[in-house]
Amino acid sequence: WGTVYFDQIGTAAPNLQIEIYNQATDVNVFTGLTNSQGKFQSTALPGSGTYYLKIPSYDKELRDLQPTSLTTGEKVIILETKGSVNGIVQDDSGQIVTGATVVLKKYPGDTFVDTKTTDRLGQFTFDALPGTYIITISKAGYDSYTSSSFTVQSKQTVNLQSVLGNI
């Protein structure tokens, strides 16, 4: 068994496919998913031999594992590759809104991640670790806007278009 983390501070990596292979034969001996805490548990492995663990979605391999390290709990750190969130803010008539405040928050829970101001083209960009987020947008003279939740994956760009209504 083991635990997969996105970073050095222990952010759990849930729902990732884990594959364990016999290092000498390259034969897959286990495939499974991490749970919501980033933990996985493999089937029993033969007591001799060396294995390696793969996380295909991140091109991550951990080699030279002994069955004892997989029974006492292997810690795997991915060192996350970020995705991005891009968007354009317009008013309800389709005009670009410059100078709007855009706040990126984790979802659920509303934990603050970052804030940006739309540029002269009404655009904003965030770099974000994989996860689920919402954005809120505000500017004087407009109704505030809160997006539906959306998911960012590693190396993925999420494009949002947001409309602020006039007050």
Side-chain angles (χ1 to χ4, degrees):
W1 61 277
T3 307
V4 181
Y5 299 104
F6 281 131
D7 52 38
Q8 297 286 352
I9 60 171
T11 305
N15 302 315
L16 289 182
Q17 182 173 319
I18 301 294
E19 299 173 354
I20 299 175
Y21 291 83
N22 181 303
Q23 195 161 304
T25 63
D26 259 353
V27 172
N28 180 301
V29 296
F30 171 78
T31 299
L33 293 175
T34 58
N35 67 16
S36 61
Q37 290 87 37
K39 297 182 183 300
F40 65 92
Q41 181 153 356
S42 69
T43 53
L45 300 173
S48 63
T50 304
Y51 298 87
Y52 67 96
L53 181 142
K54 284 178 78 171
I55 303 173
S57 58
Y58 290 91
D59 297 323
K60 179 76 173 184
E61 283 189 10
L62 187 59
R63 291 197 162 263
D64 301 319
L65 299 175
Q66 302 300 316
T68 54
S69 67
L70 288 168
T71 57
T72 58
E74 192 64 50
K75 180 179 177 182
V76 180
I77 297 174
I78 295 175
L79 294 178
E80 191 54 52
T81 302
K82 293 181 178 181
S84 62
V85 179
N86 300 331
I88 297 174
V89 178
Q90 298 173 307
D91 65 18
D92 52 8
S93 69
Q95 296 297 308
I96 297 299
V97 177
T98 61
T101 301
V102 184
V103 178
L104 181 68
K105 298 177 184 179
K106 290 289 278 180
Y107 180 85
D110 268 3
T111 302
F112 172 84
V113 176
D114 199 1
T115 187
K116 301 286 182 178
T117 302
T118 56
D119 64 16
R120 63 184 182 80
L121 300 174
Q123 299 174 336
F124 62 89
T125 299
F126 293 99
D127 288 330
L129 290 173
T132 303
Y133 298 91
I134 61 169
I135 59 166
T136 60
I137 303 172
S138 60
K139 183 172 180 177
Y142 295 91
D143 291 331
S144 62
Y145 169 85
T146 300
S147 72
S148 299
S149 64
F150 57 91
T151 302
V152 175
Q153 302 291 333
S154 177
K155 302 178 187 176
Q156 173 198 31
T157 299
V158 175
N159 292 303
L160 303 174
Q161 184 169 356
S162 306
V163 177
L164 291 178
N166 293 319
I167 295 177

